[in-house]
Amino acid sequence: MNELRQAEQELSHTMDQNTSRGLAAVRRIKRQYKLDGVYGTLAELFDVGDRFKRAVEVTAGQSLFHYVVDNDDTASKVIDILQKEKAGRITFIPLNRVKPKSANVPKGTDAIPMIEKLQFDPKYEKAFQQVFGQTIVCPNLQIAGQYARSHGVNGVTIDGDRSDKKGAFTGGSIDNKHSRLEAVRKVSKLRDDSDAHKARSTEIKRTLESKDQEITRAVSNIQKIEQRRVQQEHSYGPLLQEVRSRNNDLQNKKDTLDSKHRASTKIDANMKTLTDQQNAHEAEIASEFKKALTREEETQLENLNSTVQDLRTQYSDLTSSRSELESRKTILEIELRENLSPRLDQLQAQRFDDDDGRTSTTGSRGTLKEAQSELKRITKQTATVEAKIQDLDTSIDHAAAQIQQLETRHAEIKASLDDIATAMEKSQKRTEKSFRKRRILTQQALEVNTRIRDLGILPHGALEKYERTSSDSVVKRLHKVNEALKKYGHVNKKAFEQYNNFTTQRETLTKRRSELQSSRASIEELIAVLDLRKDEAIERTFKQVSREFATVFE
């Protein structure tokens, strides 16, 4: 519900408040008055591919939220209710009133009718023809503008730039995060899920009410049987005592099953904890790191990855075994609940035909033999249940042993990972130390380059001249030169270089000015030719109009 509320809020931000209130009110009115002729908004009645989604949104605009109805009577009825309740404003499209105009849609590979890219029910075709019938999708805005002028249709590009048939161009950037169609699709999906959940909830409530009634009837029957059992307790004697003993045994077995179930749950929780730890270590192993590991450490890491895969396989096997054990336990519970317990209740509910002992000896002996036979059968079934419970105990112990082994293996892997982490930390420290040293050397190199640039342009052959000179001699010579240069500190050392740059720029600008002057002359000549043609066209049109006027008024 929170997701649906959030999605509806995001959808309401794409429209004005009156329209948002009106849409919610129309949906409520449709349910309240059971109006089958209210079909839905235009955006809810069609589907389109992601490629043309932006073009469709730009073409439709606010028409996406126009409500499609079967006729104008339905629209009038809903509008009257909206006015009475002051619940917003909505534009309706009655199908019986819509008469879309036929458009002169061009036929070509660079002009695709937009309505061909929409999937909708044929009964809503008039509504979609009204909104999208006179729009085509073009590769770019220039082609769209040409078709808009030549065929009188609206052209739109896939990016949402639009050329109106009246001559207007619309384009620019569109926020893709707030797509109206995406918001409508999301809200529709969440509403369908919500309706399905509500229907399921209603069905479950009805089922629960039915089960409550059945339970009430069963409790009533149990109470009646209990009263009959109390009346017949003194008639059964030793047989009834034996049945009670067996019933207690069965209850003990049930308690044992419950304890095993709790043990299984505890084992499952331990398995989940181990799995989470294993996944965390696997994620840590799989994470990308740029560290210097030795060959032995890489081999050890690969072995650990293989071991983790084996542990995951063992965990899957244990999970399957646990599911089989739970299935067997469920079968045993069903057997106890549906076979043994009802039979015991049946034995307790039996009554002797003659309560005061006046029944014939033969009939009493027959009933006693049947009860003893039934008691033997129950005893045998109880032994079978005990054997199955013993098997379950063995399986659970085996699973616990395997879990213990996995925990031991997990501890070993964790120790290995700690060793690897220590090695990685040491390697990281060495790497950081190298980075600091490299940063210092880089800074020194930059300072040296700065000093070299400050020297200006070196004369030709300077490097070859001092190539074989020792460093000490060069340093002494440099010191003497720097002392001598202090006398010329006021002189611009880069004047010659700047002069060359300015000369190059001047030549470039001069050449550019010549090109612009030549272009200007060509443009002026073109303007003169166009003016001449315009004058000739005006004069020719004027003469034709005069001739036509003369013909008309003769």
Side-chain angles (χ1 to χ4, degrees):
M1 294 297 293
N2 293 331
E3 294 181 357
L4 176 59
R5 192 178 299 108
Q6 184 178 1
E8 289 179 343
Q9 187 176 3
E10 293 177 356
L11 178 61
S12 64
H13 291 164
T14 63
M15 65 187 81
D16 60 276
Q17 184 177 4
N18 289 330
T19 303
S20 177
R21 291 173 54 242
L23 291 176
V26 171
R27 287 193 297 271
R28 176 181 54 79
I29 292 170
K30 178 182 177 180
R31 293 192 303 268
Q32 182 177 353
Y33 295 90
K34 298 180 180 180
L35 301 176
D36 297 332
V38 180
Y39 300 125
T41 61
L42 200 69
E44 296 171 350
L45 299 179
F46 75 96
D47 194 10
V48 67
D50 294 337
R51 182 185 179 191
F52 299 95
K53 188 179 298 181
R54 185 182 299 178
V56 170
E57 290 185 7
V58 171
T59 301
Q62 289 297 328
S63 299
L64 289 173
F65 304 113
H66 291 179
Y67 242 90
V68 180
V69 295
D70 54 354
N71 52 54
D72 49 353
D73 293 334
T74 303
S76 300
K77 183 177 181 179
V78 177
I79 290 174
D80 291 339
I81 297 174
L82 289 175
Q83 290 177 348
K84 185 183 301 182
E85 297 179 356
K86 296 181 179 180
R89 296 177 60 85
I90 290 294
T91 301
F92 292 91
I93 303 178
L95 296 178
N96 66 328
R97 291 286 187 179
V98 175
K99 296 180 180 179
K101 299 179 181 179
S102 59
N104 184 18
V105 179
K107 296 181 180 179
T109 57
D110 55 352
I112 304 173
M114 178 173 289
I115 198 167
E116 294 181 1
K117 298 300 178 181
L118 307 179
Q119 293 84 38
F120 53 87
D121 194 319
K123 70 178 181 180
Y124 310 129
E125 184 175 1
K126 291 183 178 180
F128 288 97
Q129 286 286 354
Q130 179 73 16
V131 178
F132 303 101
Q134 297 186 359
T135 302
I136 59 174
V137 181
C138 300
N140 52 59
L141 195 60
Q142 288 77 14
I143 297 176
Q146 293 176 2
Y147 281 119
R149 291 190 297 271
S150 61
H151 291 76
V153 295
N154 298 322
V156 63
T157 65
I158 295 177
D159 295 332
D161 298 333
R162 181 182 178 184
S163 174
D164 194 78
K165 60 185 178 181
K166 296 181 180 179
F169 281 80
T170 304
S173 176
I174 298 178
D175 188 5
N176 296 326
K177 296 181 179 179
H178 301 286
S179 174
R180 293 179 176 178
L181 289 178
E182 286 293 337
V184 171
R185 299 291 181 272
K186 185 177 181 181
V187 170
S188 300
K189 183 177 181 301
L190 292 176
R191 281 176 183 164
D192 294 338
D193 294 341
S194 177
D195 293 339
H197 289 315
K198 288 180 180 179
R200 179 61 178 166
S201 176
T202 303
E203 182 181 355
I204 292 174
K205 288 180 180 179
R206 293 176 181 175
T207 304
L208 289 176
E209 291 175 357
S210 176
K211 296 300 180 183
D212 288 338
Q213 294 176 359
E214 292 178 4
I215 291 172
T216 302
R217 291 193 295 269
V219 170
S220 177
N221 294 332
I222 290 173
Q223 291 176 352
K224 292 179 182 179
I225 293 172
E226 184 68 17
Q227 292 176 359
R228 293 167 59 187
R229 185 188 63 79
V230 172
Q231 294 175 359
Q232 297 173 1
E233 278 182 352
H234 300 289
S235 302
Y236 285 95
L239 181 61
L240 182 59
Q241 187 65 28
E242 184 68 19
V243 171
R244 288 179 178 176
S245 177
R246 296 300 180 185
N247 192 15
N248 292 332
D249 292 339
L250 288 176
Q251 186 62 36
N252 292 332
K253 301 304 180 185
K254 288 182 179 180
D255 295 338
T256 304
L257 282 175
D258 292 337
S259 64
K260 299 303 179 184
H261 179 68
R262 289 192 296 272
S264 177
T265 303
K266 184 177 180 181
I267 291 172
D268 189 16
N270 293 333
M271 289 292 295
K272 186 177 184 302
T273 302
L274 291 175
T275 302
D276 294 338
Q277 295 177 358
Q278 179 182 347
N279 291 335
H281 291 311
E282 288 178 354
E284 184 177 359
I285 292 173
S287 62
E288 182 180 2
F289 60 93
K290 298 180 180 178
K291 303 294 184 297
L293 298 179
T294 63
R295 193 63 176 176
E296 291 77 7
E297 290 174 343
E298 291 180 355
T299 305
Q300 185 179 6
L301 185 60
E302 293 177 357
N303 294 333
L304 290 177
N305 288 330
S306 177
T307 304
V308 168
Q309 295 297 328
D310 295 338
L311 291 176
R312 293 180 65 182
T313 304
Q314 294 177 12
Y315 172 71
S316 299
D317 296 338
L318 287 176
T319 304
S320 301
S321 301
R322 175 179 171 274
S323 300
E324 293 177 359
L325 292 175
E326 289 181 353
S327 301
R328 292 173 60 188
K329 183 174 75 70
T330 304
I331 293 173
L332 291 177
E333 288 179 351
I334 293 173
E335 184 176 358
L336 287 172
R337 185 172 60 254
E338 296 183 358
N339 294 332
L340 300 179
S341 297
R343 185 57 183 163
L344 285 176
D345 294 337
Q346 183 178 1
L347 288 174
Q348 292 176 359
Q350 290 180 351
R351 75 172 47 169
F352 293 103
D353 293 336
D354 191 358
D355 294 338
D356 55 0
R358 290 178 293 181
T359 309
S360 63
T361 304
T362 304
S364 299
R365 290 179 179 177
T367 305
L368 182 59
K369 289 180 179 180
E370 292 177 358
Q372 290 176 349
S373 176
E374 186 66 23
L375 182 59
K376 290 180 180 179
R377 189 180 69 82
I378 293 174
T379 303
K380 184 177 180 181
Q381 291 181 352
T382 303
T384 304
V385 171
E386 290 177 353
K388 292 180 178 180
I389 291 175
Q390 186 65 28
D391 294 338
L392 286 175
D393 291 337
T394 304
S395 300
I396 292 174
D397 293 338
H398 180 66
Q402 290 183 347
I403 290 174
Q404 184 64 31
Q405 293 177 359
L406 289 176
E407 289 178 349
T408 304
R409 185 58 179 164
H410 177 266
E412 295 176 357
I413 293 176
K414 185 176 181 181
S416 300
L417 290 175
D418 292 338
D419 295 338
I420 293 175
T422 303
M424 290 169 58
E425 185 177 0
K426 292 180 180 179
S427 177
Q428 185 177 4
K429 289 181 179 179
R430 291 196 299 268
T431 304
E432 291 177 354
K433 185 176 180 180
S434 300
F435 283 161
R436 287 196 297 270
K437 186 175 180 181
R438 179 182 177 183
R439 193 181 303 111
I440 293 172
L441 293 175
T442 303
Q443 186 175 2
Q444 292 177 356
L446 290 175
E447 292 177 356
V448 172
N449 290 330
T450 302
R451 293 177 181 178
I452 292 173
R453 285 195 300 270
D454 292 340
L455 293 175
I457 299 175
L458 297 177
H460 180 71
L463 295 177
E464 291 79 1
K465 181 178 180 182
Y466 298 99
E467 185 175 2
R468 298 182 179 180
T469 307
S470 63
S471 300
D472 295 336
S473 301
V474 171
V475 171
K476 292 179 180 179
R477 183 73 177 273
L478 180 62
H479 179 70
K480 293 180 180 180
V481 171
N482 288 333
E483 291 296 331
L485 286 175
K486 289 181 180 179
K487 300 177 181 179
Y488 305 99
H490 62 283
V491 178
N492 185 7
K493 302 179 182 64
K494 297 183 179 180
F496 184 73
E497 183 178 357
Q498 292 176 355
Y499 173 76
N500 290 333
N501 292 334
F502 292 153
T503 302
T504 304
Q505 293 179 3
R506 179 177 177 277
E507 292 176 354
T508 303
L509 293 175
T510 303
K511 184 178 180 181
R512 181 61 179 167
R513 184 182 66 180
S514 300
E515 293 177 354
L516 292 175
Q517 290 176 352
S518 176
S519 301
R520 179 181 178 182
S522 300
I523 293 172
E524 290 177 351
E525 183 179 356
L526 178 61
I527 292 173
V529 172
L530 292 177
D531 288 339
L532 181 60
R533 291 180 180 177
K534 181 186 69 175
D535 295 338
E536 292 177 353
I538 293 173
E539 184 178 359
R540 183 170 58 256
T541 303
F542 179 76
K543 290 180 179 180
Q544 185 176 359
V545 171
S546 299
R547 185 169 56 254
E548 295 296 333
F549 268 103
T551 303
V552 171
F553 293 103
E554 283 181 354

